[in-house]
DNA sequence: CCCAACTATATCCACCCCGGATACAGTACT
DNA sequence: AGTACTGTATCCGGGGTGGATATAGTTGGG
């Protein structure tokens, strides 16, 4: 929607889920669900396609598996990935600030004038 | 990505831009650009299609034009629209909180353990 | 008065993201 | 051995977005 392409919503939550500990794809899906109290669930297609894009973008890198399960592909966040996540966090925070300043958190039906909540 | 369908990014900024004063489509495009310091620019297609969807969803309603320019279609935010905007603001704020708690705002390259900034 | 630039809305197209289905295989537990 | 779950990958349909195009009214300067 703007310039230098922000991560997609799915990619962003994956970056957040990866921010502390390296994980494999399937585990990331679980972690995203856990840390959002089930509010965000990524479909399988979205999950693995997002990880491929993140790898191509240099935001994650594949590291050696953490168990003897050969199927797992474990990813860890790169500095570039952390940087992208921080930038997107700031972008979203700005958006939230904008909405808040617009009076979108008060309960008033239509606070069109300069009201002040006592 | 989750349940009861959140507004799209474009729709959300339009809801915010409409939160105080009724406006017409073209003016909303300008207002979005102004209030985001040029960081968000909506394409014409996105702008007018979004407004149509918002009208169908009952989030905005067409009110009488504010000038004698007959081309203008002026929209104002409905209570349902304000409610949707507030819900989305909260959802985004939760996401930002999640990212912040994950340590994505510090400058440390990779704060993997319990560091404390002096 | 006339023309150019801007305002204003609407639709079309190509591209990309998403959820869910499908496929295929290894792992774990009984 | 068999069943359920883990794990990755790809395909398909639906939908959002940007930019181009079409059409037309408005404005302001020469």
């Amino acid at each position: 929607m703007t310039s230098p392409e922000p991560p997609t919503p799915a990619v962003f939550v994956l970056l957040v889920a990866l921010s502390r500990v390296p994980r494999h794809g399937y585990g990331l899906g679980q972690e995203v669900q856990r840390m959002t109290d089930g509010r965000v669930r990524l479909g399988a297609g979205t999950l693995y396609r997002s990880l491929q894009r993140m790898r191509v973008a240099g935001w994650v890198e594949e590291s050696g598996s953490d168990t003897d399960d050969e199927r797992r592909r474990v990813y860890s966040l790169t500095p570039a990935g952390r940087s992208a996540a921080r930038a997107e966090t700031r972008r979203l925070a700005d958006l939230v600030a904008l909405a808040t300043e617009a009076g979108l958190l008060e309960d008033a039906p239509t606070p069109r004038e300069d009201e002040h909540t006592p």
Side-chain angles (χ1 to χ4, degrees), chain A:
Chain A
M1 193 159 67
T2 324
S3 45
E5 299 313 315
T8 68
V11 167
F12 178 62
V13 289
L14 287 173
L15 290 173
V16 174
L18 259 183
S19 62
R20 298 194 175 283
V21 187
R23 285 182 203 271
H24 65 288
Y26 189 90
L28 277 169
Q30 316 258 91
E31 170 62 14
V32 165
Q33 202 164 334
R34 189 198 61 77
M35 75 184 185
T36 61
D37 298 313
R39 288 189 300 269
V40 179
R41 299 184 310 285
L42 301 179
T46 305
L47 176 58
Y48 293 106
R49 258 180 289 114
S50 295
L51 282 171
Q52 285 171 358
R53 259 180 282 134
M54 291 160 77
R55 189 174 44 73
V56 170
W59 289 348
V60 297
E61 58 186 5
E62 218 176 319
S63 37
S65 71
D66 51 352
T67 64
D68 53 355
D69 191 334
E70 298 299 338
R71 297 171 299 170
R72 291 191 177 178
R73 313 188 63 149
V74 177
Y75 299 96
S76 60
L77 199 62
T78 64
R82 171 167 295 271
S83 171
R86 297 208 300 136
E88 179 65 0
T89 302
R90 277 186 243 107
R91 194 184 70 86
L92 291 178
D94 286 351
L95 215 51
V96 168
L98 207 62
T100 303
E101 289 160 17
L104 281 173
L105 287 183
E106 286 87 47
D107 288 330
T110 309
R112 191 138 318 170
E113 293 303 327
D114 45 26
E115 328 249 11
H116 44 76
T117 47

